[in-house]
Amino acid sequence: MKLTRFGNIGQELPAIYEDGKRYDVSGFGQDYTEDFFANDGINKLKEWFAANKVTAHVVDEAERWAPITTRPSKIVCIGLNYADHAAESNMALPAEPIIFFKSTTAIVGCNDDLIIPKGSEKTDWEVELAVVIGKKTSYVSEAEAMDYVAGFALHNDYSERAFQLERGGQWVKGKSCDTFAPIGPWLATTDEFEDINNLRLWLTVNGKTYQDGNTKNLIFNVPFLVSYLSQFMTLLPGDIISTGTPAGVGLGQKPSPVYLKPGDVVSLGIDGLGSSTQVVKAYVG
């Protein structure tokens, strides 16, 4: 099942994407909140939709693709989780996952505009597989980890490299600007995939391919990451883990880095998780 949401900012409603259409499921009576995931909402919604699909309203194609869930308690990101990206960043392979947070206020719809932050000259892209937690998760084993996952989504982990790497402190400053977390178009539940560790992910800027990788090259795979993180923090239903990006980011381009500018168009996708496009615009204010 593919969960999505639609509508203008502040007026979003839940939907299911099936057979190329979005079906309004607001009649189910619950949005995709922490409580929804915690109380077996996916299975309950599946049953409801089977009984009500015939009468469910089909969402107009022009409607905005909204963020796939309501705001989660946290976005936990994994740095340098592909060997080729670590190499292009001139950084050593990590012995354990590198963890940082991304502010949830960065979340936007998958096709919403990317706004270059005030004072930014080094805004960069990162296509990533996002994991959405389905149950409260604490001290779980790697063998049990997938039982705590609701599904997966496409995420562009935008980064401002000067804020991230040149201004001291942790990476979160360069990761959390408004519009820096377009996620979606949908959350695909785990039963949609035979092997989450073998998905192609790609990204283009103005039609030129910069990233073309595969999740089989993750240094730390999804079950390991869920288990590992749960040893240090409680993961709540709806929380997002962004698993890292393959080579091809702007920072790593030779002979010199390439960064985004107003008017650029960024497109990206992952097998089974659809695609998204963001138009780059300058900060005004």
Side-chain angles (χ1 to χ4, degrees):
M1 189 163 64
K2 296 180 174 71
L3 309 183
T4 188
R5 296 167 75 243
F6 69 96
N8 294 328
I9 295 172
Q11 300 175 323
E12 294 95 339
L13 295 172
I16 285 177
Y17 182 75
E18 187 175 281
D19 301 325
K21 300 176 182 177
R22 288 178 290 173
Y23 292 88
D24 181 345
V25 295
S26 55
F28 175 68
Q30 195 172 10
D31 204 347
Y32 303 144
T33 62
E34 180 180 331
D35 285 343
F36 169 84
F37 292 108
N39 292 294
D40 198 30
I42 289 176
N43 287 324
K44 291 176 181 176
L45 176 60
K46 187 179 294 186
E47 293 178 3
W48 181 92
F49 187 59
N52 291 276
K53 178 179 177 181
V54 174
T55 57
H57 170 69
V58 175
V59 178
D60 191 287
E61 291 184 1
E63 286 277 5
R64 169 179 176 256
W65 291 81
I68 57 173
T69 67
T70 60
R71 188 176 296 168
S73 80
K74 51 187 170 291
I75 306 173
V76 187
C77 298
I78 309 300
L80 303 178
N81 201 21
Y82 288 78
D84 54 2
H85 176 52
E88 72 175 351
S89 302
N90 295 314
M91 296 182 183
L93 292 181
E96 295 191 34
I98 295 172
I99 302 170
F100 61 92
F101 287 94
K102 191 178 186 88
S103 173
T104 59
T105 55
I107 294 175
V108 289
C110 65
N111 296 326
D112 289 352
D113 294 336
L114 168 71
I115 306 301
I116 293 180
K118 183 178 181 179
S120 167
E121 296 181 354
K122 297 182 178 180
T123 295
D124 201 350
W125 57 83
E126 296 187 18
V127 59
E128 303 200 6
L129 171 70
V131 179
V132 181
I133 296 297
K135 295 189 290 186
K136 186 176 180 180
T137 309
S138 181
Y139 298 113
V140 299
S141 69
E142 189 172 348
E144 299 172 314
M146 292 304 295
D147 294 336
Y148 291 79
V149 173
F152 306 95
L154 171 66
H155 175 217
N156 196 341
D157 176 26
Y158 280 112
S159 310
E160 211 297 335
R161 301 302 188 187
F163 297 177
Q164 176 190 1
L165 301 172
E166 301 171 20
R167 307 252 328 241
Q170 298 181 339
W171 290 357
V172 64
K173 294 199 300 290
K175 298 285 188 172
S176 296
C177 303
D178 291 351
T179 74
F180 268 29
I183 302 177
W186 55 71
L187 181 165
T189 52
T190 55
D191 58 349
E192 296 269 329
F193 300 91
E194 290 185 7
D195 184 6
I196 198 65
N197 293 308
N198 187 20
L199 302 179
R200 178 180 177 241
L201 60 171
W202 56 270
L203 181 144
T204 68
V205 180
N206 301 327
K208 178 180 177 179
T209 298
Y210 281 90
Q211 293 186 276
D212 192 351
N214 193 294
T215 57
K216 67 184 178 183
N217 296 319
L218 284 166
I219 297 170
F220 305 106
N221 66 21
V222 170
F224 179 87
L225 290 173
V226 173
S227 174
Y228 182 87
L229 291 171
S230 78
Q231 311 305 309
F232 302 99
M233 67 189 79
T234 296
L235 301 170
L236 296 177
D239 280 357
I240 293 169
I241 303 169
S242 200
T243 59
T245 197
V249 300
L251 174 67
Q253 298 304 305
K254 308 298 183 193
S256 59
V258 175
Y259 295 116
L260 294 169
K261 59 186 184 304
D264 286 343
V265 178
V266 181
S267 296
L268 59 152
I270 300 179
D271 291 345
L273 294 173
S275 61
S276 67
T277 297
Q278 296 95 45
V279 176
V280 181
K281 295 188 176 179
Y283 173 85
V284 177

